[in-house]
Amino acid sequence: MPHAREIQLQIRGTPEHEFGHAENGGGSKQAADHGRRSAGGSVWWWLMVMFDMLVMLCGQTIATLLGRLYYNSGGNSKWMASLMQSGGSPLLAILLLFTPPHSAGAGTQPPASKMIPIYVGIGILIGLDNLMYSYALQYLPVSTFALVAATQLAFNSITSRLINKQRFTAHIANSVVVLTFSAALLGVGSSSDGTSSNLPHGKYTLGFILTLSASAILALNLSLFEVTFEKVVRTRTFRWVLRVQMYTNVVASMVAVCGLFASGEWRTIPGEMAAFKEGRARYVATLVGMAVSWQAMAVASMRLIARVSSLFANVTGTVALPLVPVFAVILFGDKMTGIKAIAMLMAVWGFLSYMYQHYLDDRRVAMTKEGAIECRACAARAGGEAVLHV
C-alpha cells in the first residue's frame, strides 16, 4: 500500500539542506540548522507545513475510503485496485521535470547496473504488497483494516533492528507488544464485527492475515529504501527521492498490469464498469481518485521530508490510520464496537510510544552536538588564555 509507502521512507536524521532547493548537498550542518530555525520562525513556513500535513492525511484517508467504495459499489478486480495504488506514478515525472538536475558537486551517481536491480526488486515487493492490501480491503471492514495496518510500526521496528541496526529500546519493545495485542484483539473479536458475518467462512481471517503480511512487507520496503539511500545512492536529495519512488512504482504498476492480463480479469472490466452502482462515470472517477489520492499523499510526504524531516513525514502518515475507522463508521456504517475502540486506543498508545523513542533519540543527538560545540569553545578559550600567559 503506497501510503505508505512512498511515503514513509524512514531516512533518519536527514539534513534539510540535502533536499529541495539545495540539490548539491553543499553547506555546513550548522548553516542548515540555522536555516531550519530561521524558517521555523516564519509564519508562511508553518502554514506550508500544515498544508502538506493536511494533504498527506487527506490523501491517505481518501484513497483508503475510495478503495472500500470501489468494492462496495460492485468493483471486484483486485489487480485493478492494486494498479491504482501505484498507477499514478507517472505524475511524479512532472515534478521530476521541474526539479533541478544534479550539480557537479553532488558526488558520483550510482551506476545503472546497481540501481536497476534495486528498482526491480523493491518494485516487485511493492506490487505484491499492493495486491495483498487489495484482497484485505475487500475481506475486512475498512475500520478493522486500518487498525490492523497500524502494526506496520511494530514490523518496522523489527526490520530496522535487523537491517538498519537500530537500537531496540524499552519504548520500541512496548510499541511492538501493544500493537501486536491490538491486532490480536481485533482478530479474536471478529464475531463482534457486523460486516464479518456477511463474508464467506474464512474470508475475515484471510483478510486479517493478508493485512498483517502486507504490513510486514511494507516495513521491509521502508528498511530497504533506507539501506538504498545509505549504501548505494549515498545522497538524499529531493530529486533522488522522486526517482527511486517513481521507478519502483513503475515496476509495481507493471506487475499489476501483468497480473491483470494473466488472471483474465481484464475481460471483466467492461462488465464491472457497466454494473457499477454509481454508473460508468463514477467508476472511472473512483479509480482516478484512488490513483491521484495516493500520489498526492506521496508528494505531500516528500515535501515534508524536504521542509522538516523524514521522521516528521512518517509520523504524519501514521496519524492517518486512526482517522480511517472514524470516517468508515460515518460513510459505510461500520460498527464501532467496544473491541474496536479499545484496539484503536491501544494502537494510538503503541504509536505514541514509538514516537517518544524517536523524540528521546533526537534530544540525545542534540545534546551531544551542543556538548561538542561547548567543548570546542572551551578548548579554543583555553588555548587563547595560554597564548596570553606566554
Side-chain angles (χ1 to χ4, degrees):
M1 193 169 64
H3 45 290
R5 348 195 142 292
E6 295 101 354
I7 27 298
Q8 297 153 351
L9 287 175
Q10 286 204 341
I11 312 171
R12 295 195 302 271
T14 303
E16 186 180 60
H17 69 273
E18 291 182 350
F19 290 92
H21 49 274
E23 284 286 333
N24 58 4
S28 65
K29 182 66 173 65
Q30 288 82 359
D33 291 339
H34 176 73
R36 186 183 295 116
R37 287 194 296 270
S38 299
S42 170
V43 175
W44 175 251
W45 185 87
W46 278 110
L47 287 175
M48 294 304 298
V49 168
M50 293 174 64
F51 174 77
D52 291 335
M53 291 177 63
L54 181 63
V55 172
M56 186 175 181
L57 291 173
C58 291
Q60 183 170 334
T61 303
I62 291 172
T64 304
L65 294 175
L66 285 177
R68 181 70 259 177
L69 177 65
Y70 168 75
Y71 288 124
N72 285 357
S73 300
N76 193 48
S77 175
K78 283 77 172 179
W79 285 110
M80 177 61 73
S82 301
L83 178 60
M84 291 304 101
Q85 295 180 51
S86 56
S89 55
L91 295 174
L92 299 179
I94 300 176
L95 284 177
L96 199 59
L97 291 176
F98 290 97
T99 306
H102 297 291
S103 63
T108 58
Q109 298 189 28
S113 59
K114 285 187 177 181
M115 295 308 301
I116 290 178
I118 292 175
Y119 293 148
V120 173
I122 296 181
I124 291 175
L125 285 177
I126 292 175
L128 179 61
D129 184 64
N130 292 345
L131 182 62
M132 286 185 175
Y133 271 120
S134 297
Y135 272 97
L137 192 56
Q138 185 180 31
Y139 295 156
L140 291 180
V142 68
S143 55
T144 305
F145 167 83
L147 291 172
V148 178
T151 56
Q152 68 188 47
L153 277 177
F155 287 118
N156 190 49
S157 299
I158 298 173
T159 56
S160 295
R161 172 61 179 172
L162 297 177
I163 299 177
N164 309 119
K165 308 303 181 183
Q166 180 177 319
R167 293 184 304 112
F168 203 80
T169 65
H171 292 293
I172 293 180
N174 175 68
S175 174
V176 172
V177 172
V178 171
L179 288 171
T180 301
F181 275 113
S182 173
L185 186 62
L186 288 173
V188 300
S190 61
S191 59
S192 65
D193 197 321
T195 55
S196 63
S197 59
N198 300 326
L199 296 172
H201 180 69
K203 294 296 186 182
Y204 188 99
T205 303
L206 178 60
F208 185 84
I209 294 174
L210 287 174
T211 307
L212 287 177
S213 302
S215 297
I217 292 179
L218 175 59
L220 175 62
N221 281 339
L222 293 177
S223 294
L224 291 178
F225 273 125
E226 187 170 348
V227 167
T228 298
F229 277 93
E230 290 181 352
K231 305 296 184 182
V232 182
V233 178
R234 296 183 183 277
T235 184
R236 296 168 182 178
T237 62
F238 184 60
R239 185 176 181 85
W240 264 110
V241 171
L242 281 175
R243 291 179 64 175
V244 173
Q245 181 177 332
M246 183 179 69
Y247 291 140
T248 54
N249 275 264
V250 166
V251 174
S253 299
M254 293 173 61
V255 171
V257 170
C258 292
L260 186 66
F261 282 93
S263 64
E265 284 189 1
W266 65 275
R267 298 188 183 93
T268 67
I269 299 300
E272 182 178 283
M273 184 184 302
F276 200 70
K277 290 182 181 179
E278 307 296 332
R280 292 175 179 268
R282 291 289 183 88
Y283 178 86
V284 175
T286 300
L287 295 181
V288 172
M290 289 169 60
V292 172
S293 296
W294 284 128
Q295 294 309 314
M297 184 275 295
V299 171
S301 174
M302 290 184 293
R303 282 169 58 90
L304 286 176
I305 291 174
R307 291 181 182 275
V308 190
S309 69
S310 59
L311 175 60
F312 191 87
N314 194 26
V315 170
T316 304
T318 310
V319 169
L321 294 176
L323 296 179
V324 175
V326 176
F327 286 100
V329 171
I330 298 173
L331 298 177
F332 302 121
D334 285 8
K335 289 185 177 181
M336 182 53 70
T337 62
I339 289 180
K340 280 188 179 180
I342 294 174
M344 181 184 296
L345 293 175
M346 293 177 66
V348 171
W349 177 260
F351 159 74
L352 292 176
S353 179
Y354 186 88
M355 289 300 103
Y356 183 66
Q357 179 58 53
H358 283 285
Y359 167 74
L360 293 178
D361 291 341
D362 289 343
R363 283 196 60 184
R364 186 180 298 109
V365 172
M367 292 176 65
T368 302
K369 290 179 179 178
E370 289 177 359
I373 293 174
E374 290 178 359
C375 289
R376 287 195 296 269
C378 292
R381 186 164 56 248
E385 291 175 353
V387 171
L388 289 176
H389 285 308
V390 171

